[in-house]
Amino acid sequence: MKRIDDLLGLRIFERVVTLGSLTAAAQALGISLAAASKRLSKLEQYLDVQLIHRSTRRLSVSDEGQTLYEYAQHIVAELEQAEEAILQKSEQVSGTLTITSPNSFGRRHLVKLIAKFKRLHPNINIQLLLSDSIEDMIAEGIDVAIRYGELPDSRLIAHRLLNNDRILCASPDYLARYGRPQTLGELHQHQCIIISRHTEINWAFPSQTIHIQQAISCNDGEAAHVMALQGMGIVLKSYWDVAEDLTAGNLIQVLPEQAIISAPINIITLKNQHQPARIRLFIDFLISSLQPMQMRKEKT
């Protein structure tokens, strides 16, 4: 009777099936594609069965492979738990944490928080990818993604990070020169900064939708933020994006009763049975670090 003692081969096999790609499995384990392929073939040769059917377009799991996968999930999870328990006792949680985030949120908040997290856990390597496009977490080997709203992909799980309340605001200079609107209808009398490639847009509020025509348009949220700081007009922004400037008095909220709740900001991770300690630590750190911002918003 053959006994499986190739733990690395078993780990590679489990990652290939879970992630659906030999390339993704190799990236997740920090080994070369060639080494992963060779080790998987060696496991198949030892067992004298084909675990995975390979083609140029896709991988599929054989019946024997599916049987082994059901056991491999539990074995690999228990091995990782044992390794992390040892590392945590010696306070040496390590490995690479790959994070992706929208550009604005990443620059304004995430970079500062990562710096603090890195000081707490110096043995964890950080790879930060800022992009406003939706990256394929599995294909790109991403551990944690900051995204708006919840995704329908069943391979992912969302952890609520922040509500994404959107508010109207302008600089004190602008309001001193042009006055503060008292109703949504008065927005037509003001310069409004819209984040769009077009010169007109609809702003939808709980009570009504306002068609903004007399506007300054910009296709970048960060630039629109700066325009508001420079007194160029009223802008509709996420609270988290302007919170620091509101506290400092650089911006003032306009029509506060008209705040809009849009899709929340979530931390997205792969739906694994067992997450590495570095991912769990980062999620807990991020949620606890951003809670004060949420509490400040709720009190206003």
Side-chain angles (χ1 to χ4, degrees):
M1 180 178 180
K2 292 184 177 181
R3 297 182 183 275
I4 301 174
D5 56 5
D6 183 2
L7 294 180
L8 177 56
L10 197 63
R11 274 182 158 161
I12 292 170
F13 168 71
E14 186 273 337
R15 287 290 83 193
V16 169
V17 178
T18 298
L19 300 179
S21 162
L22 188 59
T23 300
Q27 291 176 342
L29 294 170
I31 61 177
S32 69
L33 177 60
S37 179
K38 183 176 180 181
R39 201 62 177 254
L40 182 59
S41 296
K42 182 180 178 182
L43 179 62
E44 289 179 319
Q45 290 170 7
Y46 175 75
L47 294 173
D48 197 23
V49 294
Q50 187 168 10
L51 300 171
I52 294 176
H53 300 294
R54 304 164 180 78
S55 70
T56 55
R57 292 187 176 182
R58 63 188 295 270
L59 300 177
S60 61
V61 185
S62 68
D63 289 343
E64 294 82 0
Q66 186 61 45
T67 298
L68 180 61
Y69 177 64
E70 292 173 5
Y71 289 97
Q73 285 180 294
H74 300 291
I75 294 168
V76 170
E78 289 182 3
L79 281 171
E80 290 179 350
Q81 287 175 341
E83 291 169 352
E84 288 172 11
I86 294 170
L87 288 172
Q88 285 179 335
K89 283 185 178 180
S90 60
E91 298 182 350
Q92 291 182 355
V93 179
S94 60
T96 298
L97 185 64
T98 303
I99 307 161
T100 186
S101 165
N103 284 297
S104 182
F105 188 85
R107 295 192 189 105
R108 190 166 294 277
H109 295 291
L110 196 56
V111 170
K112 297 175 184 177
L113 293 173
I114 286 175
K116 294 179 180 178
F117 181 77
K118 180 66 175 173
R119 286 194 291 270
L120 292 172
H121 305 284
N123 293 319
I124 297 179
N125 299 318
I126 302 293
Q127 183 181 29
L128 177 61
L129 308 173
L130 295 183
S131 174
D132 289 328
S133 62
I134 301 299
E135 303 290 343
D136 186 324
M137 292 184 66
I138 292 176
E140 299 298 325
I142 294 169
D143 298 307
V144 177
I146 309 300
R147 291 182 179 170
Y148 302 106
E150 298 180 10
L151 301 181
D153 193 328
S154 62
R155 298 170 299 174
L156 306 177
I157 185 169
H159 313 262
R160 176 68 65 91
L161 184 59
L162 285 173
N163 291 331
N164 190 25
D165 296 345
R166 302 175 70 205
I167 66 171
L168 293 167
C169 55
S171 71
D173 175 63
Y174 175 86
L175 296 176
R177 285 183 289 128
Y178 297 101
R180 185 183 301 206
Q182 300 301 311
T183 66
L184 287 174
E186 292 181 20
L187 289 175
H188 292 299
Q189 303 168 21
H190 285 264
Q191 287 292 319
C192 295
I193 304 166
I194 61 176
I195 304 170
S196 172
R197 292 181 178 272
H198 308 288
T199 56
E200 56 184 87
I201 198 172
N202 289 327
W203 280 353
F205 297 90
S207 58
Q208 65 185 107
T209 297
I210 302 296
H211 185 67
I212 304 297
Q213 289 179 299
Q214 184 182 357
I216 302 166
S217 65
C218 176
N219 68 342
D220 181 79
E222 284 286 285
H225 187 160
V226 175
M227 287 178 177
L229 290 171
Q230 294 299 313
M232 295 177 65
I234 298 172
V235 70
L236 180 63
K237 292 286 288 180
S238 295
Y239 176 81
W240 61 260
D241 200 3
V242 295
E244 292 181 358
D245 285 313
L246 291 171
T247 301
N250 300 322
L251 292 173
I252 296 174
Q253 186 172 358
V254 175
L255 298 171
E257 70 279 3
Q258 299 295 341
I260 307 171
I261 298 178
S262 55
I265 302 173
N266 289 322
I267 307 174
I268 308 296
T269 59
L270 295 177
K271 189 183 288 185
N272 292 334
Q273 287 187 330
H274 175 66
Q275 286 183 338
R278 59 184 177 274
I279 295 178
R280 298 198 306 272
L281 285 170
F282 184 71
I283 291 172
D284 292 342
F285 170 81
L286 211 56
I287 291 173
S288 63
S289 297
L290 290 173
Q291 272 184 345
M293 182 190 298
Q294 190 70 64
M295 292 172 66
R296 286 199 304 270
K297 175 66 182 75
E298 291 170 353
K299 290 178 179 178
T300 59

